[in-house]
Amino acid sequence: MPVSHKTIVRVAVPSPLRRLFDYNVKESCAFAPNSLVAGMRVSVPFGRRQIIGIIVEITNHSDIVPEKLKDVTEFVDDQPILSGRLLKLFKWASSYYQFPIGETLFHSLPILLRNGEPLPELRERYWTLSQKGLDAGEELLVSTPRQSSLFKLLKSKINIKESFILEQFSRSILSKLEERGYAQLEYKENERVADDILVGNPREPNQEQQIVLDAITLNDFNCWLIDGVTGSGKTEIYLKCIEKILLAGKQALVLIPEINLTPQTERRFNSRFNVPIVVLHSGITKKQRLQGWAKSLSGEVKIILGTRSAVFTPMKKPGLIVVDEEHDSSYKQQDGFRYSARDLSVMRAQYEDIPILLGSATPSLESLRNCDEQRYRHLMLTKRAGSAAVPKWQTIDMRQEKIESGFAETTLSSIADTLHRSEQVLVFLNRRGFAPVMLCKQCGWAAECKYCDSKMTLHRSCNQLICHHCGARSNPPAGCPACGSGQLIACGEGTERSELMLQDRFRNTQILRVDRDTTKKRGHMLEVIQTAQKGHPCILLGTQMLAKGHHFQHVTLVVIVDADASLLSPDFRSTERMGQLLTQVAGRSGRGTLPGNVLVQSYQPHHPVLQILLGKGYGPFARELLAHRRKVDLPPYQYLALVRAESKLASRAERFLLMAKATADSIRKSSKALYYTGPLPALLERRSGRYRYILRIECKNRKLLNSVLDKLARNLESDHSVRWCIDVDPQEF
Ligand code: ADP
Ligand code: ZN
Ligand code: ZN
C-alpha cells in the first residue's frame, strides 16, 4: 500500500457504489491537517463532474497510486455537520440495510446541504467599536455623515445587534466602518435556555404512571417499551421525562408516525414547555428543514418533533428519544433506503448512550420479543387515565343480517340510538373512493389497471377510475368494453359511498369524512377535530387516518365496517396489523366520561383470531401470534431479508433472482443455516408496468445473514439488467 505523508480524506459521495473515495488534501489547503474533521463537507471531482461529498475518515494511506489521486477542490464547512457518533450510526445503517454508504449519508441530510449550501449562521451578530474606534475622535468622520452617525450609535452602547443597525443603515456603511478599522463584529451563541421551561400545569401522575416514572432512569442507554392502553397516559409519561431532560439542559427527539394528521400533538408540547420546538415532516419547505436541522445541531432547539426521517436530525446535547406508536408501519421506509426509523432510533440511543422510550397501545411483536429477551424493559399501563372506561366489543354476524351498502341493520339502529342520545359515532372503513370495483353485470368484466395487477377504484367526486397502486386514472366507460352491455355496476363500498348512504339515512346529522382525498385540503383534519370537539351529535367516517392518535371525547360508538379483509391476506403480518388497527380505532371511543361500544362487522365472527382479540384484548392476542410465529419460524424468531427485482419483463426479474440465489449459495456453500424461498412474484406482481419478484432469505443468525447479504450486494452491484434492491426486515411482500 503506497504510504503518503500527505493528508488523504476518505469521502462519501452520493453514488450507488458501495465504498468511500480517496482524495488528496493539498498542502496549500486553508486547514491545518489537525483541524480537518470527519463530518465536514468537501467539493470533489467525480468522473467528469464536481460534486459534494462528506469526509468520513482522515488518513495518510491510500490504495490508489499518488499520481492518480485527485485533490479536494474545496472545503465547504469549517466545522463538522455530522458528529462522530452520527457518522458511526450511519455506517452501521449502511451495512445493516445494505444501502450504499454515500447514499445513506446523503439521505440523512436536508436537500440544501446535499447541494452544498452553507450551514446557516445561527449565532447572532453584534457590532461594537474596536479599540481604534474607541480611541478615535468623531471629527475624523465629518466628511462622511452616515458613517459618522453610525459611529455615534456604536459609541452609545456596546454590542448592538446587526439586525437593529441594518434597520437604519445600509450594509455598505457598516462595512466601510469595519474596513477602516473602527467597528468590529462579535458573535453570541443563540442558545436561549428558558428560565422556566414549564408553562402548562402537568397533572399529578396516577399510581400506575408513578410506577412507570419511577422505573425509568434517564442517565444512559436503556430501552423501555411503554405498553399502555389508549388513553392510559403514555404521552404524559413522555412529557414528564422530557421535562427532566430539559432541566438538565439536554434535547429530546420525539418521533410520531404522522404529523399532519395530529395537530394536537404539537399543541400539547407547546402548551407544556416554554422552549424552542421544531417540527419536521414532509410538508415543510427545504429552507425550513435546513433551519430546523441547523438549530438542532447548534442546540438552540430543545425538542425535535418529527416523522420517520427526523431520526437523522443531529443534536448538540441529546438527552432522550421517544418513538410514539412504535408499532406503526410508516416507520419503515418502503423505497430507496429501506430503514426502520424505530430500529434506527434504538441504535442511535445506544450510540449516543441516552435512554429511549417506545410507546404503544398495541406493541409490535418485534418489541414484545425484545422485552422477552430482556433487551427492552416492559412497562405497562393497564387503565385509562382519568375516568374513562375501556370500551365494550360486540361482533355483528353479517351472515344473519339484512345488509344495506355494507351496514348491518343492527349496526344502523345502534348508530341511530347513539345519535339520538346526542352522542357521536366513528365509522371505520379502510377503503377510500366510492367502490373498489366496477363490474359488468352481463359478462363479469371488471375495470382493471393497465399497469398493475389490480382493479380500478371508482371515485364519484371526480367521476374517475383511479388505481390506488400507481395513481393511473381513466374515465369510467359508458358501456362494457367486453360485451357492449350498458349494465355496469359499482361493486363494494368505499368511504365516499358510505358517506352518501349514511347521509341519506341520517338526514339531519353532520357526516365528517376523513381519508386521503378529503385531507388533501389543507386544514381539513383540524376542522374535523374542532367540529367534533364541539360535541354535537355527528358521524366521523374514515380510513386509518382516523385511527391515529386523535382524541374524540364525545364518540361513544365505533363501527368497524369490514373486519374480514385482513383475515384473508397472505401477508403473515396482516393479522398483527388488523389487531393493532382494530384496537387503535376502538381506543378512539369513550375517552370522555361516557362508556364506549365497538361493533365489529364480520362474516367470520367465530374466527379464532378475532375471538381472542375481542374476548381477551390485544396482549393475549399478541402472545398467541408470537407463539404461532415461533412455531412456524417467522420473524421475530427468524431474521428475514428480501432481494427484490423489478423489470418490464417478468422473465428478466425472475432470472436475476435465480442468479442472485446461486450467488448467495456460492458465498456460503450449501449452508443449512440459510433458507431460500423463491424467486416468487410479489403480492402485487405488476405495478406501474413493471413485474416485481422477490427472493426470501431467512436465517436464525443475524450476523451470518448480514455478511452474506453484504457480499451478495457487492456481487450484484454492477448488474443493471433490472431494478433491484435488498430489503432487510421487510414489512411488505
Ligand atoms: P395516551 O398517550 O396513552 O393515549 P394521554 O397521555 O394522551 O394517553 O392521556 C389520555 C388523557 O388522559 C388525556 O386527556 C390526558 O390529559 C389525561 N391524563 C393523562 N394522565 C392523567 C392523570 N394522571 N390524571 C388525569 N388525567 C390524565
Ligand atoms: Zn360485459
Ligand atoms: Zn395501477
Side-chain angles (χ1 to χ4, degrees), residues 292-303:
W293 196 92
K295 284 181 178 175
S296 178
L297 175 68
S298 75
E300 181 183 340
V301 146
K302 298 299 175 195
I303 299 176

Side-chain angles (χ1 to χ4, degrees), residues 319-484:
L320 174 70
I321 303 179
V322 175
V323 182
D324 191 24
E325 311 288 0
E326 64 85 27
H327 65 279
D328 199 289
S329 55
S330 72
Y331 285 127
K332 173 89 170 148
Q333 174 137 315
Q334 299 291 7
D335 55 15
F337 180 22
R338 292 169 176 262
Y339 65 98
S340 149
R342 177 202 52 213
D343 296 346
L344 212 47
S345 293
V346 176
M347 277 317 284
R348 178 162 183 188
Q350 211 164 330
Y351 279 115
E352 309 260 22
D353 196 22
I354 57 172
I356 175 166
L357 309 179
L358 306 179
S360 177
T362 53
S364 63
L365 299 186
E366 276 75 11
S367 294
L368 289 172
R369 165 108 210 267
N370 279 322
C371 290
D372 291 347
E373 302 279 303
Q374 319 273 311
R375 280 189 287 263
Y376 301 173
R377 304 211 202 155
H378 200 169
L379 301 173
M380 311 267 281
L381 293 170
T382 57
K383 294 189 208 64
R384 286 191 168 190
S387 54
V390 178
K392 278 203 279 304
W393 298 80
Q394 186 192 337
T395 33
I396 304 288
D397 185 347
M398 297 296 271
R399 297 166 306 181
Q400 318 272 341
E401 291 272 342
K402 181 168 166 260
I403 290 162
E404 195 186 338
S405 299
F407 288 88
E409 205 42 56
T410 311
T411 307
L412 288 170
S413 66
S414 286
I415 295 178
D417 292 346
T418 308
L419 295 171
H420 208 77
R421 292 194 304 269
S422 285
E423 295 162 14
Q424 298 177 349
V425 180
L426 189 155
V427 176
F428 173 73
L429 175 60
N430 212 7
R431 214 180 291 128
R432 66 194 172 92
F434 185 78
V437 189
M438 194 178 195
L439 274 183
C440 169
K441 224 179 155 183
Q442 288 291 325
C443 74
W445 171 89
E448 285 183 355
C449 176
K450 259 190 252 174
Y451 313 101
C452 308
D453 289 326
S454 74
K455 307 274 184 285
M456 300 284 272
T457 299
L458 180 63
H459 283 248
R460 226 351 141 56
S461 53
C462 54
N463 194 32
Q464 293 244 290
L465 289 166
I466 303 178
C467 171
H468 285 185
H469 294 287
C470 72
R473 283 164 177 260
S474 62
N475 292 323
C480 171
C483 75

Side-chain angles (χ1 to χ4, degrees), residues 591-603:
R591 289 195 151 225
T593 43
L594 299 164
N597 282 304
V598 186
L599 300 182
V600 181
Q601 299 196 142
S602 172
Y603 284 91

Side-chain angles (χ1 to χ4, degrees), residues 203-206 209 231-236 268 385 551 591:
R203 296 163 200 269
E204 271 305 306
N206 61 30
Q209 284 171 323
S232 58
K234 293 182 293 296
T235 311
E236 281 299 319
R268 201 157 161 196
H551 296 200
R591 289 195 151 225

Side-chain angles (χ1 to χ4, degrees), residues 567-584:
L567 291 176
L568 306 168
S569 163
D571 179 344
F572 74 85
R573 282 189 221 275
S574 75
T575 323
E576 175 187 355
R577 293 217 185 93
M578 176 207 65
Q580 289 163 343
L581 200 54
L582 259 56
T583 311
Q584 296 278 346

